[in-house]
Amino acid sequence: MPAARGVYYGYDLIRLILGTVMKRLFALALAAFTATAAFSQQLIDKGFVDGWNIMMDPALGNGCLIQTVYQDLSVVRIGYDALGNRGYFAVYNKAWGEIEQGKSYPIRFALDGKSYDATAIGFNERDVPGATVFFTDRNFVTAIAQNKTMTVYNPAGEVVMAIDLKGTAKALEYARECQNKKL
């Protein structure tokens, strides 16, 4: 005898429970796969040169960049924002918890001692705080590569980090080729 609507007995109850559990597990697996696929599509690997990863960023109009990770787990990116037709450098580190997403920060940075004032924009990359400096002269990326060290200072004049630019000239050559769609 069939059960009344909403009332289940024996085998029907087991089928209902298993069906619900399987649908939820499938939905969770699909969500995890989708999130992983989206996460893995954030940067496209284009190679490795002199200690720097060459990558393409679809979020910046397929702008190409170089990226490296230092011993203190600081990450540095130097590249091109194809959407904004500009260059940038970004630095971030999990220990910099006080940086706020979208907030402007006056900073100073020096390339082999030559000082520049700039405005950095706070961001969080996968819950890791950092800051990006954009510049409209895309050739400034080349200027960065012609130096040995970039030192970044906070508004109080304290050194935030010193970035060893070893290998950037060659790596940025590849990033330019990538940007010109030759890679």
Side-chain angles (χ1 to χ4, degrees):
M1 170 186 257
R5 187 177 189 96
V7 177
Y8 298 93
Y9 297 105
Y11 180 72
D12 289 332
L13 181 59
I14 292 170
R15 276 189 22 202
L16 175 68
I17 292 171
L18 286 177
T20 303
V21 168
M22 292 305 288
K23 284 179 190 173
R24 287 190 180 159
L25 285 175
F26 177 74
L28 284 172
L30 184 61
F33 173 77
T34 304
T36 303
F39 179 76
S40 66
Q41 289 178 3
Q42 287 183 341
L43 293 176
I44 299 167
D45 182 33
K46 293 292 191 174
F48 186 82
V49 176
D50 281 354
W52 293 83
N53 295 91
I54 313 300
M55 307 180 107
M56 182 184 288
D57 190 346
L60 295 177
N62 289 330
C64 294
L65 63 112
I66 62 174
Q67 172 179 288
T68 196
V69 180
Y70 291 94
Q71 284 182 335
D72 70 347
L73 301 181
S74 294
V75 176
V76 174
R77 288 182 182 169
I78 303 170
Y80 303 100
D81 172 2
L83 292 176
N85 195 28
R86 58 192 176 173
Y88 69 93
F89 74 85
V91 293
Y92 48 103
N93 186 303
K94 201 165 194 105
W96 301 344
E98 66 278 359
I99 294 177
E100 296 177 36
Q101 178 79 22
K103 184 174 178 182
S104 296
Y105 295 91
I107 67 160
R108 185 169 46 95
F109 67 96
L111 294 169
D112 289 346
K114 185 174 180 189
S115 196
Y116 300 87
D117 290 319
T119 300
I121 308 299
F123 71 93
N124 279 288
E125 178 75 20
R126 297 182 208 125
D127 295 327
V128 177
T132 302
V133 173
F134 291 101
F135 37 90
T136 54
D137 182 359
R138 289 175 54 161
N139 292 324
F140 193 72
V141 170
T142 304
I144 291 172
Q146 294 170 347
N147 291 274
K148 292 182 173 101
T149 306
M150 177 191 293
T151 307
V152 180
Y153 302 88
N154 67 17
E158 302 162 331
V159 174
V160 174
M161 72 183 300
I163 301 165
D164 180 2
L165 297 174
K166 181 181 176 186
T168 57
K170 189 168 186 176
L172 282 168
E173 253 180 66
Y174 281 85
R176 276 189 295 281
E177 286 181 22
C178 169
Q179 195 61 42
N180 294 330
K181 307 295 185 237
K182 294 177 186 172
L183 268 185

